[in-house]
Amino acid sequence: SHEPHVNVYPPRGIPVAQATARLIRDANGLRMVLERDATRHFAQHGEAQAIDLLMEQTRAIIDRANDEITNRVQEEAVEIDWRMHDTIIDSRGNEIISETYRINAARIRLARGLGNRLPRKRLISALTEHLTVLDACRKRQADLAVKEMVRHIENSLNLNFDPDYLD
């Protein structure tokens, strides 16, 4: 069906589609298709300076998180998390892909019930996975970059079904 994910009814609020296991799997399946292609492209053509900056920012957040995961560190971790994925997707230079990705990413966040949060239990491991993806991109190892991105997305998907996932 082609039902919208969120319907707005001004006098009654905003009902959100139920986060079913199928919705989560399907949304992550679309994410996988989009990010595999974009990661390969980014590994082959991404600007070295952009990759280096993402790696530097990611390492800085991991270092701070290793000391203490404050709310501010959590917020900054989410920002750098999204920035990496958005940068990789946007490297394709295709507005339709970028828009589709962002709508789908919002769908995944809604389904997880996390809003703009990266759970403390996942923060360091997710960002460490980002570094492995970015390192492969920096070395222009496209196959390895794609493999690491797939592993990262699969780890995130598996956590959607883990009852201990949330803080």
Side-chain angles (χ1 to χ4, degrees):
S1 79
H2 295 314
E3 296 175 23
H5 191 68
V6 176
N7 294 315
V8 178
Y9 300 102
R12 295 178 296 208
I14 302 173
V16 178
Q18 185 176 7
T20 62
R22 181 179 177 145
L23 172 77
I24 292 168
R25 280 192 195 95
D26 288 354
N28 276 283
L30 176 58
R31 177 185 180 192
M32 188 74 79
V33 167
L34 296 174
E35 291 210 54
R36 266 196 311 240
D37 172 70
T39 300
R40 178 169 304 285
H41 182 270
F42 190 68
Q44 293 168 338
H45 306 288
E47 292 182 22
Q49 186 176 0
I51 297 168
D52 290 343
L53 181 60
L54 285 167
M55 291 180 78
E56 178 184 319
Q57 293 169 336
T58 302
R59 281 191 195 103
I61 292 293
I62 291 171
D63 289 345
R64 289 176 55 208
N66 279 323
D67 291 337
E68 181 183 6
I69 301 178
T70 62
N71 288 340
R72 184 70 195 135
V73 167
Q74 217 175 359
E75 290 167 11
E76 291 177 22
V78 167
E79 289 171 17
I80 190 63
D81 182 306
W82 293 355
R83 190 176 313 135
M84 185 202 79
H85 290 283
D86 289 348
T87 299
I88 290 172
I89 288 291
D90 292 345
S91 76
R92 297 296 288 137
N94 183 314
E95 291 179 15
I96 294 172
I97 289 173
S98 292
E99 180 182 355
T100 300
Y101 177 81
R102 283 175 179 73
I103 291 167
N104 194 60
R107 182 179 295 128
I108 290 169
R109 286 191 296 276
L110 279 170
R112 285 182 181 160
L114 294 176
N116 296 341
R117 293 185 333 119
L118 187 59
R120 284 174 163 79
K121 293 176 184 176
R122 177 70 176 132
L123 192 147
I124 292 172
S125 63
L127 294 180
T128 301
E129 291 166 10
H130 281 203
L131 287 176
T132 63
V133 171
L134 291 167
D135 185 60
C137 289
R138 186 65 174 94
K139 294 174 180 171
R140 304 299 180 200
Q141 297 174 333
D143 289 342
L144 180 60
V146 170
K147 178 182 170 191
E148 294 298 335
M149 180 63 82
V150 167
R151 188 170 64 88
H152 172 63
I153 294 169
E154 287 174 346
N155 287 342
S156 294
L157 175 60
N158 291 337
L159 287 172
N160 282 309
F161 300 103
D162 181 349
D164 297 324
Y165 178 53
L166 298 177
D167 292 337

